[in-house]
Amino acid sequence: MRRFATALVLISLCFFVVFPSSRALRVRPRLLERFARPGNRAQAYQYEERYFRQSLDHFSFADLPPFDQRYLIANTGAWARPAGPIFFYCGNEGDIEWFAANTGFVWDIASRFSALVVFAEHRYYGKSMPYGSKEKAYKNAESLSYLTTEQALADFSALLTDLKHNLSSEESPVVLFGGSYGGMLAAWMRLKYPHIAIGALASSAPILQFEDIVPPDTFYDLVSNDFKRESLSCFEAIKESWKVLETQGKDNDGLLKLSRDFRLCQNLNNTEQLSDWLSSAYSYLAMVDYPYPSDFMMPLPANPIKEVCRKIDSYLDGTNVLERIFAGVSIYYNYTGNVDCFDLEDDPHGLSGWNWQACTEMVMPMSSSQDNSMFPAYDFDYAAYQDQCLQDYGVRPRPRWITTEFGGHDTKTTLKKFGSNIIFSNGLLDPWSGGSVLHNVSESIIALVTELGAHHIDLHASTKEDPDCEVKPSGATPLALSNGTMVMDTTGSS
């Protein structure tokens, strides 16, 4: 088993949400979000689209309609069947083709291991829709009640078991991969179904972002730090802009003027809509602050935060701060210059199911600090959060369920006693890294940390612009150096 950890460590790194607002009741943390537009989704990797008939409820014997789960399977010609490994990607909260196109690492290494590559779509997303359509699946709380992490992990396990049987490859070892929410699922599946997969690479997986395990202001502090490290004046302009925005919205025709100035497709009903739109951009810029051009969330230049701050700082003193903010945020929303107007309700990736998940079991408390954050200060208000979920879906969140199901507060003990062969990889530019595992837990539960890495950058295809990295020895603690590299302190275990 240790061979898995050693081999995957050596080939992984070196091969290479959330809306802040004073209206805490509307804050609905999510890992992806509705304002993202798809970039270039041309298929760069060859695969077949297949479907597997899944049970709607794996944990009862009720007579419920099954549904077809989509999965993508690579050309099997290079697979060392029947005992060759299977690299299995645990689908996120979106269309699986989107993730397949942005997970080049798995494709890059598959040939070196003669591995079969499978990308499985998460139920209720993409084309894997229960009840035959999204309209019926998302109709009400009853139809949405089967959208849970537990059901998704059971889907993956049932699919793998059947696939291996049909391919006469029962002995094939399975390695799980996933980034962000998919990374959480990969780690949790290794814990819950150790007989299905021998190990997992969980990239940018914030499994600690629940209850009070990490400070609730961690995410927004990290986003803010990403901007501050590029430009203090940029940070301060963004911090100032919220009050200016709110004040202008109260003027006569203020909302209409804001709608025109920010080139919105529909007129604003309140300033909170625009605040959410801006907050979303900053959070995602921090996540995708890659050192090369990318189109994972939006078409963006290399080092996009640097470009945003360069644009904001380029204006003369005395320029209206909102004019500067619009110029900066346009780097995120309209870098190509092809957008005529901005639709604040756009959901091209089909991610709206995350609202339900956040209102049931994926309760990830978020707040914004007064001193360290560039966002408006607010505290997480669970009572208001619950009221909003009751209003939207008629359900009460279960904020302690994830830690009950998968462990949480004593993560080190849980992982050390019951887990093995899990790699947690994180880049410290990624605001979700604050809720992930950043220290080694055991000889086979390893943390790989890249100081200048962004959101699951290690899962992207290898490029010459990838940040430098070093494989972290067991028990090592990462130490940041001023030149942007990492060294390892092996004097104590973590």
Side-chain angles (χ1 to χ4, degrees), residues 445-459:
I445 298 183
I446 298 170
L448 297 179
V449 179
T450 303
E451 186 180 17
L452 298 181
H455 198 52
H456 53 70
I457 189 173
D458 56 310
L459 291 184

Side-chain angles (χ1 to χ4, degrees), residues 260-318:
R260 289 197 305 262
D261 290 347
F262 282 85
R263 292 171 51 189
L264 305 183
C265 299
Q266 296 88 26
N267 290 334
L268 291 168
N269 296 317
N270 51 65
T271 56
E272 288 82 2
Q273 293 173 293
L274 185 54
S275 295
D276 286 350
W277 187 72
L278 294 170
S279 302
S280 173
Y282 302 140
S283 297
Y284 284 88
L285 282 161
M287 289 171 59
V288 299
D289 195 21
Y290 303 126
Y292 46 74
S294 69
D295 60 2
F296 174 53
M297 294 300 292
M298 307 283 271
L300 290 171
N303 304 300
I305 289 183
K306 182 185 296 291
E307 296 303 317
V308 169
C309 285
R310 181 179 297 166
K311 181 67 71 172
I312 289 175
D313 290 342
S314 67
Y315 284 75
L316 297 175
D317 291 343

Side-chain angles (χ1 to χ4, degrees), residues 271-452:
T271 56
E272 288 82 2
Q273 293 173 293
L274 185 54
S275 295
D276 286 350
W277 187 72
L278 294 170
S279 302
S280 173
Y282 302 140
S283 297
Y284 284 88
L285 282 161
M287 289 171 59
V288 299
D289 195 21
Y290 303 126
Y292 46 74
S294 69
D295 60 2
F296 174 53
M297 294 300 292
M298 307 283 271
L300 290 171
N303 304 300
I305 289 183
K306 182 185 296 291
E307 296 303 317
V308 169
C309 285
R310 181 179 297 166
K311 181 67 71 172
I312 289 175
D313 290 342
S314 67
Y315 284 75
L316 297 175
D317 291 343
T319 303
N320 182 284
V321 68
L322 295 184
E323 182 180 347
R324 299 169 62 197
I325 292 300
F326 177 69
V329 81
S330 292
I331 296 291
Y332 181 75
Y333 284 119
N334 193 21
Y335 181 62
T336 63
N338 296 327
V339 180
D340 295 325
C341 67
F342 301 103
D343 181 1
L344 302 191
E345 298 303 320
D346 196 18
D347 182 25
H349 290 314
L351 309 178
S352 57
W354 187 257
N355 286 341
W356 165 266
Q357 293 189 257
C359 263
T360 50
E361 58 182 6
M362 299 296 289
V363 181
M364 306 169 83
M366 299 283 178
S367 65
S368 178
S369 64
Q370 179 68 48
D371 297 328
N372 299 323
S373 175
M374 66 183 189
F375 298 93
Y378 76 94
D379 294 322
F380 180 72
D381 184 344
Y382 175 73
Y385 188 96
Q386 177 180 254
D387 290 345
Q388 188 68 51
C389 291
L390 283 168
Q391 178 180 321
D392 290 349
Y393 297 105
V395 297
R396 296 181 187 275
R398 297 179 182 176
R400 299 182 63 185
W401 176 245
I402 286 294
T403 56
T404 300
E405 178 74 2
F406 302 112
H409 285 85
D410 194 357
T411 304
K412 179 178 178 180
T413 299
T414 300
L415 292 173
K416 194 168 187 176
K417 283 188 175 182
F418 306 108
S420 63
N421 290 350
I422 303 174
I423 297 173
F424 291 97
S425 61
N426 285 276
L428 297 185
L429 295 183
D430 178 15
W432 289 112
S433 66
S436 189
V437 177
L438 299 178
H439 303 284
N440 290 356
V441 174
S442 68
E443 289 188 353
S444 69
I445 298 183
I446 298 170
L448 297 179
V449 179
T450 303
E451 186 180 17
L452 298 181

